Amino acid sequence: MRFNYIFFFLFVGCFGFAQLTINGVISDQNGLPIRDVHVHIANRTSATIADGSYVLNDVPKGNQKLYISYIGYQTIEETIVLSSSLTINRQLFPEVVALNEIAVQQNIATKNSSSNEQVLDGATIEKYSNQSLGDVLKEVSGVSILKSGSNVVKPVINGLHSSRVPIVNNNVRLEDQQWGTEHAPNFDVNAAGRITVIKGASALQYGGDAIGGVVIIDPQVIKKDTLIGKTILNLSSNGRGGSMTTSLQKGNVYGWSWNVLGTFKYLGDRETPDYILSNSGNREQDFSGGIRFAQEKYNFNAMYSFYNAQIGIVKASHIGNVNDLYQSITNRRPSTIEPFTYALEAPKQEVQHHLFKLNYQRWISDTASLDLQYAFQFNNRLEFDVRRNSANDRAALDLQLATHTLQLDYSNSFEAWKIKLGSNFGFQDNYANPNTGIRPLIPSYQKIDLGGYGVVNYKIDNSLLLESGLRYDFTQIEATKYYLKSRWDERGYSTNFSHFIIGEEGNQWLTKPKFMYHNFTGSLGFRKEFHHEMEWFLSIGLASRNPNPSELFSDGLHHSTGQIELGDLRLQREQAFKVNTTFKKSWKSVFLEVNPFLNRVSNFMFLKPIGFETTIRGAFPVWEFDQTNALLMGLDVNYKWNVSNRLSHEANFAYVRGIDLTNDTDLIDIPAFTIGNKIQYKKEEWYHWTAELKSELVFRQTQYPDNDFTTNIVVNNELIPVLVPISSSPEAYHLLHFYNEMTFQVGKKNSITTAFSIQNIANTTYRDYLNKQRFFVDEMGRNFQIQVKLNF
């Protein structure tokens, strides 16, 4: 009998050991267990118990799909390779309508990538509903903003911006004349459900020119049968206006789903602590919508968005002569101060951007999919200057940019491998309208892009992931441009570019410059998980960026900046070698992230001032594009301490050092050292009350090139030589901000969130080094803001 029992237990033990068992714990965004969560693998299903745990027995080996779902939370769908029993723990995050986490979170996708991706969730984005994409991205350590006044804001990642930081909206790379430092991204921040920042050059599927990094914007997606809506109303004291945005979404797992969103903004002149920023108001009227049809093996979606903005340029920033510039810098008082108004006068910008996308995705197997996408974008940029006559209603610059893109992507997972392959074709046509009566800064041109990439992930085990990628891009750009013969000779183009000349008209050459570029880029990286909640990310990337049309062809007055800009046909492509590494460590109540980076850029292109030039419009500073070898290095640090269930403290600091290796000096427009602190207190039982106090300390930038120059100004009808301190940086400054919100439940499904905030509590007078208008005016003063959010 004893032998029979032993045999029976051995048999059962061996049989049980031969089967695969999957277990784990499902928790919410705060790490608390969730009961009754549905877990499904292959043909095995289970539900979590009170402690959040689940067990699935007799699970077959091979590639299996894991589904985890719970009402009110985002569903998890992923493919796993089963060769042995596993413990799979996952966190569920609420749908956007229920989001209450406002901190920057690590993207779950980083578990399958060697890149350290930092994510801004929907709740964080909603706080900036009345502001711009650049403003919300400041929540990410290492991201600063380049500004032209209070309304034109664009992101700077590790010291780089504009064409070096592609912005991908809904899987479409944004093409909106992004070459200009005073051209803000043409995007309504309210249309974002999630924003991901990837630092470095590892996002090859979005292009090989991401020398600084990539900003990826994803819309909110609801994969369950429900209808939800949201309205956000914002009121601001500084600008005496506000905004309203309303969205409605119909979700479905299968079948039809759709969404619509509209935004309206209206603000007048902003104010510093001491005076009005005359002509600094802005307007915005935005719309977006989409439809989606999904089945088990395929889905189809289409979307359209329209961005329409009118942006005032501070009058004091448009100088008419060198005297104005010198007086503005030395007197620290704007030349024009007028009473508050909502009116927008020249100088100003009017921008429209249309985006239309069609996408079809097909699942070839349980692990392989094919994605085909076509996108069309049309961008119309109008810049209005102060004219001498009454023709102020005619734009001084009228650029119309049409972009067609077609891309095909394939992805597959098998065993420990995951591959992604893709190709793209793009055609771009830029039309510089000659009816402005002014020589266009950027000529008409056509550009063709062809590219292909491959990215491979290999998961050695649950703690170590390797990743590598390679990309090839071909670009051809052909322009049609008139050059003044005097400018052609002055730039020394006769020797090398005489073959571009196709005609002559008076004192001008008609030219057809044509350039072709072949670029290979690549990346290597790994992610290693250690015991005790520690991770190490490392990525090494090689990126190449071609000169953009502004850098090649600029030739005239840039009306938005009030400066003459000169391109150079001799510019060579940039090549960057970047090493980016991140260490993450979590304790019971403390999280620490340290991110050092090194970026060596050959043929780094930049604008430098070279003097003044007199036109019939007045005297303007002249800036020309040049190249050098550059080194950028720095460190980003994030820290969070959950002091208790209610009280937390966050801190971050970012440092970037930019060196001109060729000339042994500093690079221009590098962000200053910044330190941020935030204390947050939550009390859920008081209507989900949250209060925050933020500190922003920006040191003086002492590392900049000396581009000061001597010129003559008129004093008592005599020309007097003076030194124009155009290189100087402003003093350090410290700002305090306050934010407070409460949520009230209205019925079973509706809620109202009210928020009150104060920006620049102390009404501090300051100027920022990365604001192109720092020579003329101070930054905005104190701003009280009220926000009301209705979820229905």
Side-chain angles (χ1 to χ4, degrees):
M1 178 66 71
R2 180 177 300 175
F3 175 81
N4 292 337
Y5 277 118
I6 295 174
F7 179 82
F8 173 79
F9 284 115
L10 285 174
F11 176 81
V12 172
C14 293
F15 181 81
F17 188 79
Q19 306 306 305
L20 299 188
T21 299
I22 308 299
N23 60 50
V25 174
I26 307 300
S27 58
D28 64 13
Q29 74 277 15
N30 297 314
L32 300 176
I34 309 177
R35 183 174 182 170
D36 295 326
V37 176
H38 175 79
V39 183
H40 181 189
I41 300 179
N43 59 348
R44 300 290 187 267
T45 60
S46 181
T48 58
I49 58 177
D51 63 357
S53 65
Y54 70 93
V55 177
L56 290 165
N57 295 314
D58 300 332
V59 180
K61 292 184 178 182
N63 294 337
Q64 304 294 348
K65 278 203 170 184
L66 168 66
Y67 298 90
I68 303 175
S69 62
Y70 188 68
I71 295 175
Y73 287 77
Q74 299 174 23
T75 299
I76 293 177
E77 299 181 20
E78 60 183 77
T79 300
I80 57 176
V81 180
L82 297 179
S83 57
S84 61
S85 296
L86 293 176
T87 296
I88 301 177
N89 301 324
R90 292 291 183 267
Q91 277 186 294
L92 293 180
F93 294 87
E95 296 284 3
V96 171
V97 294
L99 282 173
N100 55 21
E101 178 64 45
I102 65 174
V104 177
Q105 301 179 6
Q106 176 188 347
N107 185 3
I108 297 174
T110 58
K111 294 295 183 180
N112 296 310
S113 171
S114 65
S115 300
N116 178 31
E117 303 175 1
Q118 290 179 287
V119 178
L120 295 169
D121 61 24
T124 305
I125 296 167
E126 286 179 359
K127 290 170 58 177
Y128 291 85
S129 172
N130 200 36
Q131 295 174 265
S132 69
L133 176 64
D135 291 312
V136 68
L137 286 171
K138 277 190 69 179
E139 287 281 338
V140 178
S141 176
V143 178
S144 49
I145 54 177
L146 182 70
K147 299 191 290 186
S148 294
S150 55
N151 298 321
V152 180
V153 181
K154 62 194 314 177
V156 181
I157 299 179
N158 293 153
L160 300 175
H161 57 83
S162 301
S163 298
R164 300 183 181 96
V165 180
I167 296 175
V168 181
N169 174 24
N170 206 340
N171 203 41
V172 179
R173 178 165 170 156
L174 201 60
E175 297 288 350
D176 58 350
Q177 305 286 2
Q178 62 268 26
W179 45 265
T181 57
E182 79 306 335
H183 298 172
N186 296 166
F187 174 75
D188 175 18
V189 71
N190 295 287
R194 185 179 69 174
I195 302 175
T196 305
V197 175
I198 303 177
K199 301 174 184 177
S202 59
L204 292 181
Q205 68 188 87
Y206 303 108
D209 57 350
I211 290 177
V214 180
V215 176
I216 302 172
I217 304 169
D218 295 311
Q220 178 188 359
V221 177
I222 301 175
K223 292 185 177 179
K224 63 178 183 178
D225 186 7
T226 185
L227 177 66
I228 64 170
K230 176 175 61 181
T231 294
I232 303 177
L233 175 66
N234 298 279
L235 297 174
S236 296
S237 65
N238 202 326
R240 308 181 196 181
S243 67
M244 185 175 73
T245 181
T246 297
S247 63
L248 194 63
Q249 281 193 287
K250 176 66 172 70
N252 242 330
V253 177
Y254 295 124
W256 291 98
S257 56
W258 51 266
N259 66 86
V260 292
L261 179 143
T263 299
F264 176 75
K265 295 182 181 180
Y266 192 95
L267 292 108
D269 289 340
R270 306 311 204 276
E271 301 175 41
T272 74
D274 301 313
Y275 49 80
I276 301 290
L277 295 169
S278 298
N279 204 50
S280 60
N282 68 298
R283 318 272 188 273
E284 210 171 293
Q285 310 85 35
D286 308 319
F287 170 82
S288 62
I291 58 172
R292 180 176 183 267
F293 182 77
Q295 292 295 304
E296 185 176 359
K297 291 296 185 180
Y298 70 91
N299 66 74
F300 165 84
N301 69 79
M303 65 85 65
Y304 167 76
S305 70
F306 173 62
Y307 175 89
N308 188 35
Q310 304 85 46
I311 304 169
I313 306 297
V314 173
K315 288 184 178 180
S317 68
H318 263 231
I319 58 173
N321 52 61
V322 67
N323 284 52
D324 292 344
L325 176 64
Y326 179 76
Q327 296 297 335
S328 295
I329 295 176
T330 56
N331 292 346
R332 296 185 63 83
R333 185 81 177 174
S335 58
T336 303
I337 301 178
E338 298 174 350
F340 174 88
T341 180
Y342 290 100
L344 296 182
E345 301 176 354
K348 64 180 180 179
Q349 300 178 5
E350 292 184 2
V351 184
Q352 290 187 350
H353 188 82
H354 302 262
L355 189 156
F356 173 71
K357 183 193 82 167
L358 292 172
N359 180 278
Y360 176 76
Q361 185 180 40
R362 181 80 185 186
W363 287 92
I364 303 172
S365 66
D366 288 342
T367 61
S369 66
L370 201 61
D371 200 297
L372 178 64
Q373 178 175 292
Y374 165 77
F376 170 74
Q377 299 178 73
F378 180 77
N379 185 270
N380 185 203
R381 166 170 287 274
L382 302 174
E383 297 184 2
F384 296 83
D385 195 9
V386 179
R387 296 182 184 251
R388 291 180 177 272
N389 53 36
S390 60
N392 276 346
D393 59 343
R394 186 166 58 152
L397 182 69
D398 183 355
L399 299 178
Q400 301 170 25
L401 181 69
T403 306
H404 301 263
T405 55
L406 183 67
Q407 60 190 62
L408 180 66
D409 296 287
Y410 168 80
S411 64
N412 197 358
S413 301
F414 48 94
E415 299 296 334
W417 295 87
K418 181 178 180 179
I419 64 170
K420 189 164 187 179
L421 307 172
S423 60
N424 67 279
F425 167 77
F427 175 76
Q428 191 171 82
D429 180 79
N430 184 71
Y431 175 66
N433 191 345
N435 294 329
T436 61
I438 298 176
R439 178 187 298 274
L441 175 69
I442 302 295
S444 297
Y445 68 84
Q446 291 184 338
K447 187 170 72 146
I448 296 174
D449 291 300
L450 291 171
Y453 74 92
V455 177
V456 178
N457 288 353
Y458 178 62
K459 195 170 185 179
I460 295 179
D461 54 40
N462 289 331
S463 67
L464 181 59
L465 174 79
L466 303 181
E467 182 178 71
S468 66
L470 184 66
R471 183 180 179 96
Y472 165 76
D473 287 286
F474 166 78
T475 299
Q476 175 183 290
I477 182 168
E478 184 174 18
T480 302
K481 177 175 174 55
Y482 282 96
Y483 276 97
L484 290 172
K485 292 180 178 179
S486 57
R487 181 77 79 190
W488 184 266
D489 295 334
E490 171 194 307
R491 305 297 291 168
Y493 290 159
S494 299
T495 303
N496 298 321
F497 303 112
S498 58
H499 60 285
F500 288 160
I501 299 174
I502 61 172
E504 182 179 5
E505 188 173 315
N507 65 343
Q508 300 182 101
W509 294 119
L510 175 59
T511 66
K512 232 175 175 35
K514 184 176 181 179
F515 296 94
M516 289 186 289
Y517 304 94
H518 300 269
N519 294 325
F520 285 95
T521 54
S523 65
L524 291 170
F526 71 83
R527 177 186 59 82
K528 172 65 178 176
E529 290 187 16
F530 301 91
H531 295 297
H532 311 297
E533 300 295 324
M534 188 168 70
E535 288 182 289
W536 178 25
F537 295 80
L538 175 67
S539 65
I540 301 173
L542 176 66
S544 296
R545 186 181 74 87
N546 304 322
N548 63 43
S550 171
E551 294 159 334
L552 287 171
F553 307 125
S554 287
D555 181 20
L557 180 61
H558 198 169
H559 303 278
S560 290
T561 58
Q563 64 189 31
I564 293 173
E565 297 177 6
L566 300 178
D568 195 332
L569 299 177
R570 293 173 288 256
L571 293 177
Q572 303 297 309
R573 66 185 175 187
E574 287 180 347
Q575 289 190 303
F577 178 77
K578 185 170 185 177
V579 179
N580 194 304
T581 188
T582 303
F583 300 91
K584 292 185 177 184
K585 179 70 172 76
S586 295
W587 292 270
K588 185 176 181 180
S589 60
V590 177
F591 170 78
L592 179 65
E593 178 180 287
V594 180
N595 173 211
F597 66 90
L598 184 71
N599 198 357
R600 210 284 193 183
V601 187
S602 301
N603 298 322
F604 182 81
M605 288 172 266
F606 66 101
L607 265 175
K608 68 176 184 179
I610 59 173
F612 270 79
E613 186 172 300
T614 302
T615 71
I616 59 173
R617 167 73 170 77
F620 293 95
V622 180
W623 295 64
E624 72 172 1
F625 284 98
D626 199 358
Q627 287 189 297
T628 188
N629 293 323
L631 179 66
L632 294 99
M633 53 187 176
L635 179 68
D636 301 330
V637 176
N638 291 307
Y639 148 89
K640 183 174 182 178
W641 175 27
N642 293 313
V643 183
S644 67
N645 291 334
R646 296 176 178 175
L647 182 66
S648 66
H649 172 244
E650 295 182 40
N652 64 75
F653 74 80
Y655 172 76
V656 183
R657 177 82 166 94
I659 304 173
D660 182 336
L661 298 174
T662 302
N663 301 301
D664 193 23
T665 184
D666 300 299
L667 290 180
I668 195 170
D669 291 339
I670 297 298
F673 176 45
T674 61
I675 298 178
N677 280 276
K678 180 173 72 174
I679 298 174
Q680 182 186 84
Y681 184 81
K682 288 184 176 182
K683 195 161 186 179
E684 294 293 328
E685 56 268 33
W686 287 4
Y687 300 101
H688 308 284
W689 177 53
T690 299
E692 296 177 359
L693 182 64
K694 293 179 67 173
S695 164
E696 184 180 351
L697 176 60
V698 179
F699 290 76
R700 182 174 186 174
Q701 178 57 278
T702 59
Q703 299 166 335
Y704 54 84
D706 183 4
N707 290 319
D708 295 349
F709 57 88
T710 301
T711 189
N712 295 321
I713 67 170
V714 178
V715 179
N716 297 326
N717 295 321
E718 293 185 7
L719 289 176
I720 303 297
V722 295
L723 179 69
V724 182
I726 200 170
S727 305
S728 61
S729 63
E731 296 294 328
Y733 61 87
H734 179 230
L735 304 178
L736 288 174
H737 313 291
F738 174 74
Y739 180 84
N740 172 78
E741 75 170 27
M742 300 180 79
T743 300
F744 305 89
Q745 201 68 30
V746 182
K748 293 184 177 180
K749 297 184 178 180
N750 304 333
S751 66
I752 295 178
T753 299
T754 60
F756 172 72
S757 63
I758 310 173
Q759 296 170 331
N760 192 359
I761 295 174
N763 206 25
T764 301
T765 298
Y766 69 102
R767 297 190 178 190
D768 190 273
Y769 177 65
L770 290 185
N771 193 333
K772 294 299 182 180
Q773 294 181 0
R774 73 179 188 275
F775 302 118
F776 313 106
V777 293
D778 295 331
E779 298 284 342
M780 283 176 51
R782 184 187 294 119
N783 182 29
F784 296 94
Q785 183 166 289
I786 296 174
Q787 185 181 81
V788 179
K789 297 182 287 186
L790 172 63
N791 292 320
F792 54 90

